[in-house]
Amino acid sequence: MTYSLNSTLILTTLLAIGLFFFLRASSKDRTTIVEVTSSQKPVEVLDVMCEWLNLRGWKQIGGDFDQKILIFKGQVVSSKLLAIFLSLLGGFGSCALGLVIIQIYPNLGWWPIFLGLIGGPLSGIIYFKKSAREEKFELRLISNGDNEEMTSMRLRAHRDELISLENELSDRLQLKSDGSL
């Protein structure tokens, strides 16, 4: 095996490993817990947050009055454009692997090129299935003792959703987080 075939095989293998880890990361759970305070009353903060969550497609599925918890549910949809793009990348990468296999083992004929027919759709299907999931947004009020003018909450949700909440509502509700985002 020549030096150029070795380097091409290594680069093609790295391409496959990168695609594998991207597919794995796209379905990884990124639930984060953050503590947020506001200088406004709890009722006002909860009204604005519930309205904001409903506008973003979250549905309230329950809660516990005694524990001061509200739970919302939302459906994360897969990006069709990204699934198509990953299918193309997987197809081209599998065809490249097939070409390298043909160069290393010429007696196999042209069948390794057909790896692209497997790798392409497989990567798109894996992404599309694993990235579509149901997520929860949990909001828990933390008691502040006698101070009813200030609101403290513990939020448990997907990291991106918490960042959006902080970006869009921090001025309106005068939110301050613990800085863990």
Side-chain angles (χ1 to χ4, degrees), residues 3 14 33 39 53 58 69 79 82 85 92 96 103 132 142 158:
Y3 176 74
L14 288 174
I33 298 173
S39 60
L53 287 167
W58 293 87
I69 296 177
S79 168
L82 186 57
F85 180 67
F92 288 138
Q103 293 297 317
I142 302 170
H158 190 277

Side-chain angles (χ1 to χ4, degrees), residues 7 20-21 32 38 51 53 60 70 83 89 116 123 129 150 159 161 169:
S7 64
F20 169 76
F21 279 107
T32 305
S38 173
E51 177 187 330
L53 287 167
Q60 186 174 351
L70 288 177
L89 283 180
S123 59
K129 297 280 185 192
M150 190 166 172
R159 185 177 187 279
E161 201 67 31
L169 297 180

Side-chain angles (χ1 to χ4, degrees), residues 141-168:
L141 280 175
I142 302 170
S143 64
N144 286 332
D146 296 334
N147 190 358
E148 292 184 16
E149 294 296 317
M150 190 166 172
T151 305
S152 292
M153 297 173 289
R154 183 172 295 132
L155 306 175
R156 183 176 186 264
H158 190 277
R159 185 177 187 279
D160 294 340
E161 201 67 31
L162 293 172
I163 291 171
S164 295
L165 179 129
E166 188 173 42
N167 288 339
E168 294 180 30

Side-chain angles (χ1 to χ4, degrees), residues 56-57 121 125 142 171:
R56 291 183 59 88
I125 290 170
I142 302 170
D171 292 337

Side-chain angles (χ1 to χ4, degrees), residues 20-173:
F20 169 76
F21 279 107
F22 181 85
L23 291 172
R24 190 168 163 228
S26 69
S27 60
K28 184 179 177 184
D29 182 28
R30 288 189 167 76
T31 301
T32 305
I33 298 173
V34 65
E35 292 196 12
V36 177
T37 59
S38 173
S39 60
Q40 297 181 6
K41 294 181 181 180
V43 174
E44 296 170 3
V45 173
L46 289 177
D47 283 343
V48 171
M49 288 186 72
C50 288
E51 177 187 330
W52 182 81
L53 287 167
N54 286 328
L55 287 173
R56 291 183 59 88
W58 293 87
K59 304 290 180 218
Q60 186 174 351
I61 59 168
D64 188 348
F65 183 75
D66 295 331
Q67 293 183 356
K68 300 179 183 176
I69 296 177
L70 288 177
I71 301 172
F72 293 83
K73 176 180 77 168
Q75 187 67 31
V76 177
V77 295
S78 300
S79 168
K80 292 178 185 173
L81 187 63
L82 186 57
I84 292 168
F85 180 67
L86 288 174
S87 293
L88 289 172
L89 283 180
F92 288 138
S94 298
C95 285
L97 180 61
L99 285 172
V100 171
I101 291 172
I102 288 172
Q103 293 297 317
I104 295 172
Y105 304 108
N107 59 345
L108 292 177
W110 286 96
W111 74 263
I113 292 289
F114 292 117
L115 287 173
L117 296 176
I118 297 169
L122 186 63
S123 59
I125 290 170
I126 288 172
Y127 163 76
F128 202 74
K129 297 280 185 192
K130 288 196 170 201
S131 66
R133 61 189 175 276
E134 185 177 283
E135 291 191 355
K136 289 186 179 178
F137 191 107
E138 187 176 302
L139 187 148
R140 176 183 298 226
L141 280 175
I142 302 170
S143 64
N144 286 332
D146 296 334
N147 190 358
E148 292 184 16
E149 294 296 317
M150 190 166 172
T151 305
S152 292
M153 297 173 289
R154 183 172 295 132
L155 306 175
R156 183 176 186 264
H158 190 277
R159 185 177 187 279
D160 294 340
E161 201 67 31
L162 293 172
I163 291 171
S164 295
L165 179 129
E166 188 173 42
N167 288 339
E168 294 180 30
L169 297 180
S170 63
D171 292 337
R172 185 173 169 190
L173 294 176

